[in-house]
Amino acid sequence: MAANGELTAADLDLEAVDECIRVSLPIKLDVEIQLMSKGILVQGHLHVVLDCDCVHCLKRFDQHLDWEAWSCFLPLEGEEKVAVANDCVDLTPYIREDILLAFPQHPLCEPGC
């Protein structure tokens, strides 16, 4: 099954994570979902635009994060199993975690700044 759409920073609780980095545009996703024997495999594309302040000169700039081959396996058994409600699984914690891990530690408007 295919799914695409947009999520906001509020949907992912990314509004006040870092004072130099904001997610001001919707996060775009286009994924394929496969039910497997012991879990759900989600694969596809995520695109995020970060609105950053350079930590050196304080200039504002956009940084694009693209995952052409984003994937996530959601187990349906064991200690780590995901909650399924009405045949739906909440992907937001997994998407949020990957976005946070990709945040630049020290955003710079250009490499030499």
Side-chain angles (χ1 to χ4, degrees):
M1 171 176 34
N4 58 39
E6 296 181 343
L7 297 167
T8 65
D11 293 335
L12 297 174
D13 193 24
L14 291 172
E15 295 171 309
V17 174
D18 189 305
E19 62 187 39
C20 292
I21 304 169
R22 292 158 303 285
V23 180
S24 53
L25 296 174
I27 296 122
K28 298 181 186 291
L29 63 132
D30 184 13
V31 295
E32 290 282 329
I33 303 161
Q34 293 178 313
L35 181 60
M36 307 189 84
S37 62
K38 296 187 180 193
I40 300 167
L41 179 63
V42 183
Q43 297 178 306
H45 178 248
L46 293 179
H47 180 77
V48 180
V49 180
L50 301 177
D51 180 15
C52 302
D53 296 326
C54 179
V55 295
H56 188 256
C57 70
L58 300 178
K59 175 183 167 185
R60 276 209 163 158
F61 67 98
D62 288 343
Q63 181 166 343
H64 294 257
L65 302 177
D66 252 323
W67 290 269
E68 291 291 334
W70 181 79
S71 65
C72 182
F73 181 77
L74 309 169
L76 294 172
E77 299 175 356
E79 290 181 28
E80 303 276 325
K81 73 178 179 181
V82 294
V84 178
N86 297 326
D87 291 334
C88 294
V89 174
D90 184 10
L91 292 176
T92 57
Y94 307 98
I95 295 171
R96 180 182 193 276
E97 181 178 358
D98 286 345
I99 291 171
L100 287 175
L101 289 172
F103 270 23
Q105 289 184 353
H106 303 286
L108 295 172
C109 60
E110 49 188 75
C113 188

